[in-house]
Amino acid sequence: MAEYNIINDPNRCVKCGLCIAFCPCDVLEANEDGYPFAAYPDNCVGCTTCSGNCPTRALLVESIGDAEFDPFADEPRAEEISKEEHAHYEELQRTIMEKLGLRWQPVAVSLIEKDELLPNAPMPPENLRFCQAMMAARRGASILMPPFRHSCPDGTSIFGMTGVPEKLATGEIYVLFHKVVDAEAAARMVAERPTLPANSRRATYVAPLAKTVRDPEVVVFTGTPEQMMWLCMSMSYYDGHRFDFAASGFNSMCVEAVLLPLDRNEPNITFGCYGCRAATDIDENMMFMGVPVDRLETIAQGLTELAKKAIPDSRNKIYVEPIM
């Protein structure tokens, strides 16, 4: 299992205490000379929040775990979906990407329940944030992550794989990051976000839709605002339904792109959040939409119809007067 050394350089450390304050898992304390040290190293998940907030870069978080460690090596794996289902997901991905002109592959997301067999997929050699796993999946990777492979305690608690560290439960960490004005605002933000019951899930599995080995619960699209508009219109094409989205700058991938569509059985947009923008390749022009898997047929059919006239007309700016 992954473990970490936290190394402090006393020649650079100014004893400001920011690393101790920002650690979401209460790993660090100050020694008698005021320098930080890992008082509770078993709590460390390798998120590097401490080192990232060190103003002098005096702190180093170093993995010392066994990258090949797999506690599930002897456990039977879940049966994969049929070749016909796999081919169907491939075709849905091809159609949607082609009609929209998507750069990134749609990502199939599964939250594995505590009594389920795990899918046959590789675990990453290093801990990742969920948003980083999503980045790798939209680029083509398939990734299985039990809680000990997640480096974001926010994500594992939201997905019901662990409990909630106190600094996250109270919102204290968000005040430290200057994401909210005070503890009251932080507490409201935490209270308003959905979470799955603690210890109800055992792993996350993400893969490109065309490569998924199991039926996903949610599929997440990455694209421009204009592409997200057409996704909405594809789902409204046959019934004219308007959607009510819940979006903020908090917990974008875990809450807004995955958990809300799963909980409400409705699509949801998200603009991204501090974490997923700071830790991945997403630029300022991109956003996301999570949709329940049962909407994919409608999306593919709706986009096929919209691509016959509406999409090309809009992109060709047919109402813009010629410049003389």
Side-chain angles (χ1 to χ4, degrees):
M1 188 174 296
E3 297 175 348
Y4 297 89
N5 265 340
I6 300 176
I7 304 166
N8 182 61
D9 183 352
N11 295 317
R12 303 178 73 174
C13 180
V14 294
K15 306 180 188 179
C16 65
L18 287 175
C19 58
I20 298 172
F22 274 97
C23 174
C25 298
D26 292 317
V27 174
L28 302 170
E29 289 185 357
N31 64 19
E32 59 185 12
D33 296 319
Y35 292 110
F37 75 102
Y40 304 98
D42 290 345
N43 290 353
C44 183
V45 296
C47 68
T48 68
T49 304
C50 58
S51 59
N53 283 279
C54 176
T56 61
R57 294 295 186 261
L59 214 63
L60 174 67
V61 180
E62 180 181 69
S63 175
I64 58 171
D66 180 2
E68 302 301 320
F69 173 74
D70 182 358
F72 313 110
D74 297 326
E75 180 181 309
R77 295 301 173 102
E79 184 177 350
E80 295 188 9
I81 58 176
S82 68
K83 291 182 179 180
E84 292 75 18
E85 289 174 299
H86 180 74
H88 185 54
Y89 284 133
E90 278 188 320
E91 178 61 21
L92 287 171
Q93 174 170 310
R94 185 197 64 77
T95 299
I96 293 168
M97 291 190 70
E98 178 184 285
K99 302 306 180 186
L100 272 185
L102 289 176
R103 176 183 180 184
W104 302 114
Q105 298 180 77
V107 177
V109 181
S110 297
L111 305 180
I112 313 302
E113 296 190 19
K114 64 178 181 179
D115 297 325
E116 277 189 272
L117 291 177
L118 296 172
N120 188 18
M123 289 192 296
E126 296 286 342
N127 287 19
L128 297 174
R129 296 170 184 267
F130 179 71
C131 50
Q132 291 172 325
M134 293 290 287
M135 174 179 67
R138 61 179 172 260
R139 289 171 171 266
S142 299
I143 299 176
L144 176 69
M145 293 206 304
F148 67 83
R149 281 292 186 240
H150 280 258
S151 64
C152 177
D154 234 356
T156 56
S157 61
I158 286 167
F159 285 148
M161 293 189 289
T162 63
V164 188
E166 185 177 358
K167 285 183 182 177
L168 297 175
T170 62
E172 175 187 347
I173 195 78
Y174 300 103
V175 179
L176 288 170
F177 269 113
H178 289 265
K179 295 180 183 179
V180 290
V181 66
D182 55 25
E184 182 179 357
R188 178 175 181 178
M189 183 276 294
V190 172
E192 287 186 356
R193 72 186 186 192
T195 60
L196 293 174
N199 303 311
S200 64
R201 301 295 190 275
R202 64 185 305 211
T204 59
Y205 166 64
V206 298
L209 179 62
K211 293 182 179 179
T212 183
V213 298
R214 58 164 281 160
D215 290 315
E217 283 84 48
V218 173
V219 176
V220 178
F221 295 91
T222 302
T224 65
E226 188 256 9
Q227 290 168 328
M228 298 300 107
M229 179 196 81
W230 293 117
L231 275 177
C232 286
M233 289 186 66
S234 71
M235 290 180 280
S236 300
Y237 182 81
Y238 294 100
D239 62 10
H241 176 63
R242 291 178 178 269
F243 299 102
D244 294 320
F245 298 130
S248 69
F250 298 100
N251 310 122
S252 170
M253 283 291 99
C254 44
V255 170
E256 294 178 353
V258 175
L259 211 53
L260 284 175
L262 179 63
D263 181 56
R264 300 177 178 180
N265 197 35
E266 289 285 342
N268 196 56
I269 60 167
T270 175
F271 306 115
C273 66
Y274 176 100
C276 80
R277 291 192 177 277
T280 75
D281 61 349
I282 289 300
D283 66 29
E284 63 271 17
N285 299 311
M286 308 299 279
M287 59 184 295
F288 314 93
M289 180 183 289
V291 301
V293 69
D294 60 10
R295 299 296 181 101
L296 291 181
E297 292 279 359
T298 299
I299 289 173
Q301 293 169 11
L303 286 176
T304 298
E305 294 301 317
L306 291 168
K308 293 177 180 178
K309 179 173 174 59
I311 293 176
D313 279 0
S314 175
R315 290 177 174 175
N316 288 332
K317 311 295 183 185
I318 63 168
Y319 295 117
V320 177
E321 293 294 331
I323 299 174
M324 305 300 293

